[in-house]
Amino acid sequence: MPAWKNAVFNEDVYLEDVLRKATDIPDTMLSAAGPCVTFVRNLSHNNINLNMKNKILPFLVLALLFGTAAIAQTGNKVIIGTIDSIQSKILNEQRKIWVYVPNNGSGDASSMQRYPVVYLLDGDAHFYSVVGMIQQLSQVNGNTICPEMIVVGIPNTDRNRDLTPTHTAVDRSMGIDSAFSEISGGGEQFMAFIEKELMPYIDATYPTQPYKTLIGHSFGGLMVMDALVNHTKLFNSYICIEPGMWWDKMYFLKTTEKALSENNFAGTTLYLGIANTMEEGMDIKKVQNDSTIETRQIRSILTLDQYIKSQKQNGLRYESKYYSNDDHSSVPMIASYDALRFIFEKYRFKLSRKEFMDSTMVFADKYEKHYADVSQLFGYKVNPPENQINGMGYRFLHMKQYDKANRFFKMNVDNYPKSFNVYDAYGDYFEATGNKPKAMENFRKALSVQESAETRKKLEKLLK
């Protein structure tokens, strides 16, 4: 039996140990990547044949190059975000916000690496699942299914006020009593808070990019639809899950349909998740002819779905899915996952082993073209992550593919001219290839950006 069949997970076995022995990846790059538990004890000393090893290694390498999930660890605690707050003049109250920033949350507004932002309604309920999902899809195992993103969770202070777009009369059949009716309809004020106070604060405090996504479920979904039709350009993409389109005795549904028929939504994306809230014996066809209160929720959403699909002229990029095995409470996670994959379907970078190992510039050309396409999708220039490109440069340097390595190091210098790291890495490249003047030039540039004992030591060594 091959040795790997008997391998077990052990938190003391790290992928960097395997790659250090089986490849030429430098220690500096490996230590920066952080520990990654793996079932491989020592790939260079087990019974995997050479052919299998050659197939496995490039993808293990890529998983490392494209980053492992970065979660801040303090002592024996795992921390995934920060509870921040903002004083709202519009709402006349202090509002807490839960914020996740990728890569240990190390970036501030001046960070070299910047990220799209997800604004999450009912933030305290969905923060953990959405952050974990985005991390998995953007970092873990080398995934590039969606970009790394900042997540801003917005907990509620008065959900019935903030997440209802219009004032409604008492509707006891849907749980709207006089107390609920009296405070309803604060959605426009809440949206004004997001647009005029929260967004400027987030952009000033955290390393953001312009691309924004809004996610909401139930009444949160109702506000997503309100934002889409009344504040279309406030967000680039909208994830609407189980919205209460029955709100205000279907009046909100009617006004939404009117806006969808009259307005232009080109450049905007919407994903609609629909749960199975039907009683036993009812199906998706029968329910559309039903008129009971019990089916008003799903009927209103199905009506919305059909209407959106009929309005091809408005330019909205749209997809919906009915989740027959999920109810109103369980659907947010799976719908968010599918929505992210739909919204960012062109973001994923697909790479073959042949392209990675090829010594020509095919891989570098593909990389640059991919991010040019992503930039077109986002509507502004999106640079490939600095740490990914840095890792590629070091990998190809140690494979002795010097022209290819130079291309990646130079790509980082062009994209991140204010970064200490790009010049330090480029200096390593020139030192390794015997170009002492250029190595010293880049080490000096690095030191002009940021003092580093290690870089200073490298420069002094070359000056001797």
Side-chain angles (χ1 to χ4, degrees):
M1 178 181 290
W4 62 268
K5 288 285 188 179
N6 293 322
V8 295
F9 285 98
N10 185 322
E11 63 185 8
D12 294 324
V13 181
Y14 299 110
L15 179 57
E16 55 263 45
D17 291 328
V18 175
L19 294 172
R20 188 177 284 112
K21 294 170 184 175
T23 73
D24 291 321
I25 294 178
D27 287 351
T28 52
M29 179 188 160
L30 288 164
S31 61
C36 181
V37 177
T38 179
F39 64 86
V40 185
R41 283 191 177 276
N42 188 332
L43 194 58
S44 62
H45 291 130
N46 64 24
N47 293 328
I48 298 177
N49 63 47
L50 183 60
N51 184 52
M52 183 178 292
K53 187 189 298 184
N54 286 338
K55 290 181 179 179
I56 292 174
L57 269 177
F59 295 99
L60 291 178
V61 171
L62 282 179
L64 181 61
L65 294 176
F66 280 90
T68 54
I71 290 286
Q73 298 181 35
T74 304
N76 61 352
K77 296 180 181 179
V78 176
I79 301 169
I80 67 169
T82 302
I83 297 179
D84 201 344
S85 65
I86 177 173
Q87 179 63 39
S88 172
K89 293 181 180 179
I90 293 172
L91 299 177
N92 193 31
E93 62 186 10
Q94 189 81 10
R95 295 297 299 239
K96 288 184 178 180
I97 49 174
W98 294 17
V99 184
Y100 160 78
V101 180
N103 300 311
N104 291 333
S106 56
D108 56 22
S110 63
S111 173
M112 296 300 105
Q113 186 66 52
R114 311 186 77 79
Y115 308 95
V117 185
V118 171
Y119 288 86
L120 180 63
L121 303 180
D122 290 320
D124 46 348
H126 305 296
F127 187 78
Y128 304 99
S129 59
V130 170
V131 167
M133 194 181 307
I134 289 173
Q135 248 195 354
Q136 179 69 38
L137 295 178
S138 66
Q139 296 179 352
V140 178
N141 298 330
N143 280 328
T144 58
I145 290 170
C146 75
E148 295 176 293
M149 293 186 279
I150 292 170
V151 178
V152 179
I154 311 173
N156 300 305
T157 57
D158 191 331
R159 190 172 190 267
N160 294 341
R161 176 197 69 189
D162 292 343
L163 302 188
T164 51
T166 59
H167 177 75
T168 186
V170 171
D171 185 357
R172 297 188 186 280
S173 65
M174 298 302 291
I176 311 297
D177 59 17
S178 58
F180 191 157
S181 170
E182 184 177 349
I183 63 170
S184 67
E188 277 303 304
Q189 283 288 95
F190 181 66
M191 200 55 62
F193 155 69
I194 291 177
E195 178 179 7
K196 297 176 182 178
E197 295 179 329
L198 181 57
M199 284 182 172
Y201 175 78
I202 294 297
D203 288 339
T205 310
Y206 299 96
T208 63
Q209 286 182 343
Y211 195 96
K212 298 177 179 68
T213 301
L214 180 64
I215 303 179
H217 165 247
S218 193
F219 275 0
L222 191 63
M223 283 309 301
V224 169
M225 287 308 303
D226 179 67
L228 172 72
V229 297
N230 293 315
H231 307 274
T232 306
K233 296 305 179 182
L234 192 55
F235 299 90
N236 303 85
S237 55
Y238 297 82
I239 300 176
C240 180
I241 306 166
E242 272 291 286
M245 296 306 296
W246 52 266
W247 179 255
D248 203 2
K249 299 182 178 180
M250 299 287 198
Y251 175 74
F252 181 72
L253 175 59
K254 292 182 176 65
T255 59
T256 299
E257 289 177 339
K258 185 173 187 294
L260 288 166
S261 68
E262 295 177 352
N263 298 343
N264 183 358
F265 296 89
T268 304
T269 300
L270 169 66
Y271 184 93
L272 177 64
I274 309 167
N276 182 358
T277 56
M278 297 177 290
E279 298 291 333
E280 191 172 345
M282 186 68 72
D283 61 38
I284 201 73
K285 290 184 178 179
K286 289 180 184 177
V287 76
Q288 296 180 60
N289 296 317
D290 192 63
S291 59
T292 62
I293 293 297
E294 289 76 16
T295 63
R296 187 185 286 184
Q297 166 78 359
I298 190 168
R299 282 189 288 113
S300 66
I301 301 173
L302 291 173
T303 299
L304 173 67
D305 179 44
Q306 292 168 358
Y307 192 82
I308 294 174
K309 289 175 179 176
S310 73
Q311 301 299 305
K312 304 291 186 185
Q313 83 291 341
N314 66 19
L316 180 66
R317 179 170 173 253
Y318 176 67
E319 184 167 295
S320 65
K321 186 173 180 179
Y322 167 63
Y323 295 89
S324 60
N325 293 321
D326 283 280
D327 59 23
H328 186 77
S329 299
S330 69
V331 77
M333 181 178 286
I334 189 170
S336 296
Y337 175 86
D338 288 340
L340 289 169
R341 295 193 70 123
F342 168 64
I343 291 168
F344 299 108
E345 64 182 359
K346 293 183 180 179
Y347 185 84
R348 188 177 189 179
F349 184 72
K350 296 180 180 179
L351 175 67
S352 70
R353 176 183 179 276
K354 181 179 179 182
E355 289 170 327
F356 181 79
M357 301 301 290
D358 184 82
S359 62
T360 69
M361 296 297 167
V362 170
F363 175 47
D365 290 342
K366 180 175 180 177
Y367 213 97
E368 290 193 327
K369 182 182 184 305
H370 174 74
Y371 277 91
D373 292 341
V374 168
S375 297
Q376 187 173 7
L377 175 68
F378 280 30
Y380 57 89
K381 190 175 189 301
V382 178
N383 293 323
E386 180 184 341
N387 62 334
Q388 289 182 13
I389 298 302
N390 200 55
M392 292 290 181
Y394 276 116
R395 177 57 188 153
F396 297 130
L397 178 60
H398 282 260
M399 290 170 65
K400 303 189 187 309
Q401 295 183 3
Y402 298 123
D403 290 343
K404 198 171 173 182
N406 180 63
R407 175 84 171 270
F408 278 89
F409 285 126
K410 182 64 165 57
M411 193 186 304
N412 251 357
V413 169
D414 291 341
N415 290 333
Y416 301 97
K418 295 181 180 180
S419 169
F420 152 85
N421 179 66
V422 300
Y423 300 111
D424 181 71
Y426 211 14
D428 287 342
Y429 164 80
F430 284 118
E431 183 180 9
T433 55
N435 191 334
K436 186 176 177 180
K438 293 294 287 184
M440 291 191 295
E441 176 187 330
N442 278 276
F443 289 145
R444 286 191 178 102
K445 284 183 179 179
L447 291 168
S448 71
V449 175
Q450 176 184 316
E451 184 59 42
S452 163
E454 183 181 351
T455 305
R456 180 71 63 183
K457 185 178 178 180
K458 288 188 285 188
L459 178 60
E460 290 174 352
K461 180 183 174 182
L462 291 176
L463 288 170
K464 291 179 181 178

